[in-house]
Amino acid sequence: MSSKRLLTALAFAAVCLIYLSATRTEAESITEVILPPGYRIERYISGLTFPTGITWDESGVMYVCEAAVSTREGPQGIAALAGDGGPVHGRIVWVGPDVHEVVIDGLNPPVTDVKIRNGVIYVAHRDCVSAIEAIEAANAPVAQGDAQEQPGQSDMFRRTDLLQGLPFGDHFTGEIAFGADGSIYVGHGTVTNSGVVGEDNFQRGWAASFPEMHDVPATDIVLSGMDFTSRDPRTTNPFDNAVTGGFLPFGTQSAPGQQISGKSQAGGVIYRIAENGDTAKVYAWGLRNPFGIGFAPDGRLIATDQGYQDRGSRPVANAPDPVYHIEQGAWYGWPDFAAGESLTDPKFRPPAKNAPLANLLQEHPEVEKPIAVFEPGTGLMKFGFAPAIFDNSQRMYVAAFGEGDIACAAVGTKGLRHGIAAGTKDTGSTPGSCVYALDLGTGQHEVFAYNRTMAPAGRSLSGFNHPVDVKFGPDGSMYVVDFGVIESDGKVYRGVPGTGAVWKISIQRSELKLFREKCMALIQSIAGLGAPQEGDGPGVPDGLLGSAPQSLSSSWDPDYTQIQAQVEEYISGLTAQGQEWGVFFKDLTSGKTFGVNPDLQVPAASTVKVPVVLYTSMLVSRGELSWNETMTYNAARDWRGGAGVIQYTAKDGDTFTIRELAEKSITHSDNVAWTMLERRLGKDNLINFMKEIGGQTVYPGGQNISTPRDNATYMEAALNFSKTDPEGEKLMFDLANTIWNTGLNRYITEVTVAHKEGDIMGVANDVGVIYAERPYILSIMSKGHEDVEAGFERIGEISRMIFEYQNSMLR
């Protein structure tokens, strides 16, 4: 092998490694969250206050519940949770990248879950589960009412409480799940840590406000008569003590053989509510805090449970967080078993205790074993099952909060030695603040997403703080609800309002792995090492990423014959799959061009927004239009689905400036904004403008159809306008800062790409200016895709191929 050939191979290997390194560095500069290869993460929604759950309605609109929002300064703690005129309330908000609109307000704090079915919003909040139906949803998205409001009192929504009056204290109502039979399932936690009201419950605030509150079993039980002595916080004398038995109010002793009657309003249970809401019955019991529940793909009802803590009159050490398969009538061990093991086992004895724990119950039903266990203090929360597009094994992904609880952080809790305090110290010792992947078949789990520091991110917001929910959206991406920052002033542990978030984790179709394989294949080919052997990964079409031509003279006179042939060869493989592709390239230094099917007619989709906003900007520049002019939204005329947020937020009569519409048309590809702009400009005027600047295939037969050559023409016109006019500079800035980045710049992170993507069913397009050392315009259009996302991946590969070739001529 010649030295020149070897040098070429080594140089290209270095380029590949630099690119791969740059790709990882780019991701790391945005967030401190570490992910497996092939996934990417973005902070999708910011500024939430103690979010605890996420859901989507039938049209794909996202809703988030916020546990507790303070409306004014006032007393914190359980007085606020009581809803008796306190300043704290929960709510449901309608969210998007630029949207945060309250839909339902005045709920009992903490709100812990929201689900939507058949237009009805189901909410779990403190001691009840409610079904809320909008009476007049149109033009009236906000439902007002206080926490004590009864159904029918509001003229904007109707609230029906399906469950109410449940015992609460340390824990509350958890997640809602819908069964295949139409039934509604919901978890509800216990009042105390381990069955005995103690000094820790006074520290949490509720025991003083509700002195008669205690744990309530779901079925009749018999007590062992074991009592516990603790300091009595009801008096000022530090030497006063109280003796308390299990399942009894503070200061009440128990007796051996004492019977406690089971009640329908119990704690530590899973409820099943009839589809019509008429009846609610205990489905399973003996859980401590079953905060997350849901149905696995095989139909099993799964619940996460949070293990005992080392606190209170009956502290339990080293208790893991279990995951259970929930079966009707089964008992899961609380208050005398942890993850299927008796608390009398010495390993559960706290270091400060001399003797093992004793049982509270004299008799026990058969205890169920968990299907998986997690480390103590993990703080297992809600979960979701991955679709095959995200994870072929369709594992369960679960949020890990860390030690602590939602209510204490939301309203403030004094004097905790454990709980929130333990989970928020940046010691790196907590197994929380992450997302786990769990294989239900084997019970094995691994950390899927975690902070580089292995601790909550704090106010930097550069990574997870306290994940509380994981769900998969209509797009197949994972959405992680992050409760937000929790801090301490040495006395009170409180959450920081406005620091909650929703993170979006998307699959990249293993693109990093795929690119490594392609790099290795090409290196081997250039170096004469032969084709990849079996087990080395799939091969690639010859010349997929281009090869380095001979060095050029100082004059820039590029020859694109080779790269054109390489693009043609690559596209021929896609054409064989029934797809149609067109490419047009123009070097902006020499003016040279090449194309592969450059006049292929393809639905333009959102790429047409470039000439629309360009025309708008030119009219403003000439003084024929003002950015401050407003347009009034009318849903019957202007509503469009697809990309953008205005479709979800606008109400008839809302006004938008021309500036707002133009910016959203580019940065968010908002279809409503585009429609309203086009209405203002006039369709005929727009068509004439597009033809004047060089368009050849302009709305043929009235259809939004273009070609790669025409799209490049419009982009070049925008670029030229930006060189002479500030309005053009703004347009190019917006094109370089769009939220949609899955095409031309998918594999290009080294330079700026100002571009506009567009897609509809079966169509994937992108056109842009790539600001390489020798900048160029690239326009790619395609149709016939079964998977549009795969189409954008191919666009990214073609774009990288051309980028490498353009740069190689400089080397």
Side-chain angles (χ1 to χ4, degrees):
M1 179 174 62
S2 70
S3 60
K4 181 177 180 180
R5 188 173 178 84
L6 176 59
L7 247 138
T8 304
L10 293 174
F12 190 79
V15 170
C16 288
L17 293 173
I18 290 170
Y19 168 64
L20 292 172
S21 175
T23 300
R24 181 174 176 81
T25 301
E26 176 72 13
E28 291 171 357
S29 69
I30 297 171
T31 173
E32 288 296 310
V33 177
I34 305 299
L35 296 169
Y39 294 90
R40 57 175 178 256
I41 187 168
E42 59 181 296
R43 194 176 177 87
Y44 189 68
I45 306 292
S46 298
L48 299 172
T49 295
F50 314 140
T52 53
I54 187 171
T55 193
W56 292 261
D57 66 13
E58 288 81 357
S59 61
V61 177
M62 180 189 295
Y63 295 80
V64 168
C65 55
E66 292 180 310
V69 180
S70 179
T71 55
R72 66 179 188 274
E73 291 297 324
Q76 299 292 327
I78 202 67
L81 287 181
D84 49 3
V88 178
H89 56 92
R91 65 189 186 185
I92 308 299
V93 294
W94 176 4
V95 294
D98 281 338
V99 185
H100 186 281
E101 187 167 353
V102 179
V103 178
I104 299 170
D105 209 343
L107 298 169
N108 302 346
V111 177
T112 50
D113 198 37
V114 59
K115 293 288 191 295
I116 299 176
R117 181 174 68 176
N118 299 328
V120 179
I121 300 176
Y122 294 85
V123 181
H125 50 138
R126 198 177 67 222
D127 59 345
C128 66
V129 177
S130 303
I132 300 174
E133 298 178 81
I135 297 175
E136 293 182 7
N139 302 322
V142 180
Q144 296 290 344
D146 61 43
Q148 304 303 313
E149 184 170 13
Q150 297 303 314
Q153 283 188 306
S154 169
D155 59 358
M156 303 180 74
F157 72 98
R158 178 184 298 107
R159 168 177 153 182
T160 303
D161 290 341
L162 309 179
L163 265 176
Q164 58 184 322
L166 301 178
F168 64 88
D170 288 0
H171 309 123
F172 300 88
T173 308
E175 186 167 15
I176 297 167
F178 300 122
D181 61 352
S183 298
I184 305 161
Y185 295 79
V186 65
H188 185 71
T190 58
V191 173
T192 67
N193 174 42
S194 56
V196 181
V197 181
E199 187 178 2
D200 59 321
N201 306 124
F202 284 87
Q203 293 169 343
R204 288 176 171 245
W206 63 261
S209 298
F210 300 90
E212 298 302 315
M213 190 73 74
H214 57 82
D215 287 295
V216 179
T219 189
D220 295 347
I221 59 172
V222 179
L223 299 181
S224 65
M226 180 61 63
D227 290 334
F228 301 84
T229 301
S230 66
R231 195 187 77 80
D232 191 344
R234 298 172 298 182
T235 75
T236 58
N237 187 339
F239 300 102
D240 284 349
N241 291 327
V243 179
T244 308
F247 293 89
L248 295 169
F250 183 76
T252 304
Q253 299 183 39
S254 66
Q258 181 177 349
Q259 293 189 354
I260 303 291
S261 299
K263 295 183 178 180
S264 59
Q265 294 172 315
V269 300
I270 304 289
Y271 281 101
R272 181 169 66 183
I273 306 169
E275 184 175 10
N276 60 12
D278 286 349
T279 58
K281 296 182 178 180
V282 172
Y283 186 77
W285 66 300
L287 297 144
R288 181 176 176 273
N289 189 23
F291 193 76
I293 68 168
F295 286 90
D298 61 8
R300 289 183 295 168
L301 179 59
I302 304 299
T304 59
D305 200 12
Q306 295 172 4
Y308 305 81
Q309 294 175 335
D310 185 358
R311 63 173 171 87
S313 296
R314 190 173 180 249
V316 180
N318 307 314
D321 283 6
V323 178
Y324 292 111
H325 169 208
I326 301 299
E327 297 186 274
Q328 186 171 8
W331 181 66
Y332 292 86
W334 189 91
D336 287 341
F337 288 77
E341 297 185 87
S342 174
L343 294 186
T344 59
D345 189 311
K347 69 181 177 182
F348 296 120
R349 179 176 61 82
K353 299 292 182 179
N354 295 322
L357 292 166
N359 291 326
L360 287 187
L361 306 187
Q362 196 174 82
E363 303 170 351
H364 299 113
E366 181 180 355
V367 65
E368 297 291 328
K369 300 289 186 179
I371 54 179
V373 292
F374 287 72
E375 288 183 55
T378 299
L380 292 183
M381 291 290 192
K382 302 180 197 175
F383 55 87
F385 290 94
I389 190 174
F390 189 92
D391 179 350
N392 286 331
S393 61
Q394 295 182 280
R395 290 180 295 177
M396 171 176 154
Y397 289 81
V398 57
F401 191 91
E403 284 198 35
D405 58 68
I406 289 167
C408 290
V411 301
T413 298
K414 297 181 179 179
L416 285 183
R417 296 176 55 216
H418 301 280
I420 289 290
T424 55
K425 293 177 182 176
D426 292 341
T427 62
S429 61
T430 173
S433 300
C434 64
V435 174
Y436 285 95
L438 169 63
D439 185 333
L440 287 181
T442 64
Q444 298 299 307
H445 55 80
E446 62 181 358
V447 178
F448 172 77
Y450 61 97
N451 293 342
R452 183 186 310 278
T453 61
M454 300 296 290
R459 292 204 184 214
S460 73
L461 305 182
S462 59
F464 296 140
N465 273 293
H466 295 281
V468 68
D469 195 5
V470 171
K471 290 294 181 287
F472 291 87
D475 61 350
S477 297
M478 176 193 289
Y479 292 84
V480 181
V481 179
D482 190 338
F483 185 80
V485 178
I486 301 174
E487 295 180 337
S488 170
D489 61 5
K491 296 180 179 179
V492 177
Y493 293 91
R494 285 200 180 100
V496 179
T499 60
V502 175
W503 298 85
K504 179 180 179 180
I505 300 176
S506 306
I507 192 169
Q508 293 179 305
R509 300 179 180 278
S510 301
E511 54 195 34
L512 293 180
K513 176 183 176 184
L514 188 63
F515 191 71
R516 288 190 185 97
E517 292 169 343
K518 291 173 180 176
C519 285
M520 291 306 301
L522 187 59
I523 291 167
Q524 290 173 320
S525 174
I526 293 174
L529 301 177
Q533 301 301 309
E534 184 177 354
D536 291 338
V540 295
D542 291 340
L544 173 63
L545 298 176
S547 58
Q550 295 180 349
S551 299
L552 300 174
S553 64
S554 58
S555 62
W556 180 247
D557 185 27
D559 179 3
Y560 293 110
T561 305
Q562 186 176 1
I563 187 62
Q564 179 174 348
Q566 292 168 352
V567 173
E568 287 176 344
E569 182 177 3
Y570 180 69
I571 285 178
S572 67
L574 303 176
T575 303
Q577 301 173 25
Q579 302 167 16
E580 295 183 72
W581 285 79
V583 176
F584 184 82
F585 169 95
K586 182 171 184 178
D587 175 65
L588 292 171
T589 304
S590 67
K592 288 193 173 184
T593 67
F594 76 83
V596 179
N597 303 324
D599 299 311
L600 176 70
Q601 294 190 8
V602 179
S606 288
T607 59
V608 75
K609 293 166 186 172
V610 173
V612 168
V613 177
L614 175 60
Y615 184 32
T616 303
S617 302
M618 285 185 167
L619 291 176
V620 171
S621 179
R622 297 200 297 254
E624 299 174 28
L625 188 63
S626 170
W627 286 127
N628 295 324
E629 178 184 325
T630 59
M631 296 190 68
T632 302
Y633 173 79
N634 179 277
R637 175 187 58 202
D638 299 322
W639 189 90
R640 294 291 184 277
V645 297
I646 296 179
Q647 60 179 305
Y648 302 125
T649 61
K651 303 181 290 294
D652 284 352
D654 284 356
T655 59
F656 298 89
T657 65
I658 297 296
R659 169 70 80 187
E660 288 177 299
L661 296 175
E663 186 172 300
K664 287 186 180 295
S665 293
I666 298 299
T667 59
H668 287 73
S669 197
D670 196 296
N671 287 335
V672 173
W674 159 52
T675 300
M676 294 177 71
L677 272 184
E678 193 175 76
R679 172 164 61 84
R680 174 63 180 85
L681 299 174
K683 187 76 166 286
D684 290 341
N685 293 334
L686 177 62
I687 290 174
N688 291 334
F689 169 76
M690 293 168 71
K691 290 179 177 179
E692 286 173 5
I693 61 176
Q696 300 297 313
T697 304
V698 182
Y699 279 98
Q703 299 182 49
N704 181 24
I705 289 175
S706 189
T707 66
R709 190 193 305 272
D710 280 359
N711 272 5
T713 297
Y714 306 140
M715 185 60 71
E716 186 173 12
L719 179 64
N720 291 337
F721 181 52
S722 73
K723 297 175 181 177
T724 61
D725 197 294
E727 308 302 348
E729 290 181 3
K730 177 63 166 67
L731 172 55
M732 295 308 296
F733 176 84
D734 288 345
L735 286 166
N737 289 278
T738 172
I739 66 171
W740 303 103
N741 295 289
T742 60
L744 293 180
N745 59 344
R746 190 183 191 104
Y747 299 118
I748 298 176
T749 61
E750 301 92 326
V751 300
T752 298
V753 178
H755 69 120
K756 185 72 196 73
E757 298 179 4
D759 69 272
I760 56 176
M761 185 174 294
V763 171
N765 306 324
D766 204 353
V767 57
V769 179
I770 291 80
Y771 290 91
E773 187 169 344
R774 296 291 184 177
Y776 56 91
I777 290 174
L778 180 59
S779 175
I780 304 176
M781 303 183 77
S782 60
K783 57 185 177 180
H785 298 288
E786 292 184 3
D787 182 351
V788 169
E789 174 64 16
F792 279 109
E793 187 174 351
R794 302 290 89 75
I795 289 174
E797 290 175 341
I798 295 170
S799 178
R800 184 70 194 185
M801 179 196 318
I802 293 171
F803 179 76
E804 287 289 342
Y805 188 92
Q806 183 83 337
N807 287 345
S808 70
M809 288 189 287
L810 291 171
R811 295 193 296 271

